[in-house]
Amino acid sequence: MSRFFEKIKSIVEIKREEFNLFLQQYKNIKIGEIKISQIINGMRCLKVLFTDLSSVDPEKGIIWRGYTVDEVLQKLPKPPLSKMPYVEAQFYLLITGDIPSETEVREIIDIFNERRKLPDYVYNILKTMPKETDPNIMLSVAINSMQHESVFAKAYQKGKVTKYNAWEYMLEDVLNLLPKISIISAFIYRLKYKNNMFIKEDDSLDLGGNFAYMMGIKQPYDEFLRLYMILLSDHENGNVSAHTTHLVASALADAYCSISAGINGLSGPLHGGAIRESFNWFMNLYQQKKNQLTKKILEQICVDMLNKGLVIPGYGHAVLRNKDPRFLAQMKFGEEYLKNDELFKIARLAFDTIPHILKKHTKIKNPWPNIDNISGIIHSHYGIDKNFFTVLFSNSIAVGSLANIFWDRALNLPIERPKSVTISQLFELNKTRI
Ligand code: CMX
């Protein structure tokens, strides 16, 4: 039994006991009220989901296992000569709750390297898909195609899965699947954009380093991939893709079905597509104005947009009420490596200009740029096609979502089934209250 498995086993035992005791004691405590507007408006701010891996503080931003973005970037172990931590270290933090030592990260890297080889049929399936297929859909199909290899699903069919051991089978699937996602993605990238000139993995590299290497993109893109995959790994498990993964897994589906459903959840322009929207907006500004764009011109463009009732992509947030530290971390990377990039210069001008325009002309609750504001500009700087951005988002979200569904099984969370209400039922409920 590996040290990692032993550690997880002991954490699961302790957490289970704590969780069950907590439930016995507190299960009937009320934590809020539900307004009709919240039901209709996408359950915004309704505290109805459970995760122990992260929480969003409106002022501080995302807190992973008790650590802020800056703390995580500072404390997690890093590859030699790298400024960004190992993605494997973030996975370790999310799944165990602890900052790993160098040895503990090494163990995860070794586990991933042993398990990342793809079955040949995955390559064949990807090669036979229509040229026009969206790369993120290709990723989802590739993951689904491996579902029959799920250790959890096979054990379930044989009647071996119980509420005591379900987590062990889920852990096997998570450890088998997570390292394969970047390999599939790099293959899709080379297939679609680089004439199918596939690059073989480099066993000496960590997940982020190998991903950039297999895409054929030189340093420091590996540094950005590590940063990006950590920053987007988990956001309290409530966004469309993470929640979808959890929802599907709640019916005791395996990790393959669950994560590919979550990846499909990134398709919409309001979620996975938001990076592209923001990138397109900056690109249009650049194409129209080239380097003639000044603060004054940008202000006028924004005021005109707002007068037409349009939103400015890459600004605002549903939960945060301060600058998103994930945006600031990307901005810092940009300041270091993209200083002369024309789109980055516009993004910087926009950062100095747009928040006060939004404050003045709208009722926006958070006028600051969000995580999606400059990610696309940075990926594109290294040659990534905008249609591939969502695949990179999927890789990131898989780190947190897979850690979350492992804990769903470890804590025996039940199938999710909220109750729906009709307008007449709401009306009746309201009458009895008056
Ligand atoms: N541009 C213009 N107006 C905006 C705005 C923006 N970027 N963001 C919010 N507003 C407006 C809203 O339209 C709303 O106007 P009305 O009162 O007239 O309806 C008002 O400000 C209040 O909105 P809010 O409560 O501050 O924001 P919401 O919680 O409703 O929406 C979000 C949040 C992200 C959907 C919204 O800010 C938006 O559409 N931003 C642009 C798209 C974007 O960048 N999406 C990526 C989000 C990243 C993430 O979720 O992590």
Side-chain angles (χ1 to χ4, degrees), residues 24 40 49-50 115 118 164 200 223 266 334 346:
Q24 272 172 24
I40 307 299
L49 292 174
F50 168 77
R115 297 174 184 229
L118 296 183
Y164 305 108
K200 220 180 128 13
E223 287 284 67
L266 280 169
I346 296 180

Side-chain angles (χ1 to χ4, degrees), residues 44 274 306 310-318 326 358 362-366 370-372:
R44 189 72 50 83
L306 296 174
L310 297 170
V311 292
I312 300 182
Y315 285 82
H317 202 274
R326 300 172 305 164
L358 284 168
T362 71
K363 290 187 188 134
I364 195 164
K365 297 192 188 73
N366 177 355
N370 55 50
I371 176 85
D372 298 329

Side-chain angles (χ1 to χ4, degrees), residues 64 72-73 84-88 90-91 94 112 178-179 181-183 185 206-212 215 221-234 330 371 379 391-400:
W64 295 298
V72 160
L73 295 179
M84 299 302 167
Y86 290 105
V87 175
E88 292 90 336
Q90 173 75 346
F91 172 71
L94 290 175
F112 282 1
L178 186 55
I181 297 180
S182 59
I183 308 287
S185 304
D206 60 300
L207 193 152
N210 184 59
F211 192 7
M215 287 170 83
Y221 187 61
D222 56 339
E223 287 284 67
F224 186 62
L225 268 186
R226 287 185 194 103
L227 174 69
Y228 185 73
M229 287 182 70
I230 290 171
L231 295 179
L232 278 91
S233 57
D234 187 37
Q330 295 187 71
I371 176 85
H379 288 307
V391 176
L392 300 166
F393 198 161
S394 294
N395 274 267
S396 318
I397 210 120
V399 176

